[in-house]
């Protein structure tokens, strides 16, 4: 079985910082892209940032210059450093990994359980 476990969410004041982590574990052959999504109350889930296995990154316009995504391939872990947080960043943040499990030949998307980030004004 494969699991993605997130950590690092919480309550922070506007202008503050948080670092999210997501570790993938289980019977994993390889991981392609890893990323972070978020869903704010009353809104659709949106892509925040994504990073390929080679380190190429892409960000939503709303977080460019404030958030940084990184990964440790040896640990199957992806991080999201969030600086200069704003109240509009308040959401549940979900980790995503496109990976190949040992019991399959294709790559599949897996999701974490989500972690709440709340930014107070």
């Amino acid at each position: 079985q494969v699991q993605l476990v997130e950590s690092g969410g919480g309550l922070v004041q506007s202008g503050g910082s948080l670092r999210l982590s997501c570790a993938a574990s289980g019977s994993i052959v390889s991981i392609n892209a890893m990323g972070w999504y978020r869903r704010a109350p009353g809104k659709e889930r949106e892509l925040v940032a994504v990073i390929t296995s080679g380190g190429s990154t892409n960000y939503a316009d709303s977080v460019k210059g404030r958030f940084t995504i990184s990964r440790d391939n040896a640990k199957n872990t992806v991080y999201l450093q969030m600086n200069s947080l704003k109240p509009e960043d308040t959401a549940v943040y979900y980790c995503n990994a496109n990976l190949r499990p040992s019991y399959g030949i294709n790559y599949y998307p897996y999701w974490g359980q989500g972690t709440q980030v709340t930014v107070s004004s």
Side-chain angles (χ1 to χ4, degrees), residues 96-99 107-111:
N96 169 270
N98 195 40
L99 61 86
Y107 284 81
Y108 302 94
Y110 286 80
W111 294 89

Side-chain angles (χ1 to χ4, degrees), residues 14-38:
S14 181
S17 298
L18 284 174
R19 188 189 193 214
L20 305 183
S21 300
C22 171
S25 63
S27 302
I28 300 170
V29 174
S30 64
I31 302 177
N32 193 347
M34 301 184 80
W36 291 93
Y37 291 72
R38 67 186 181 186

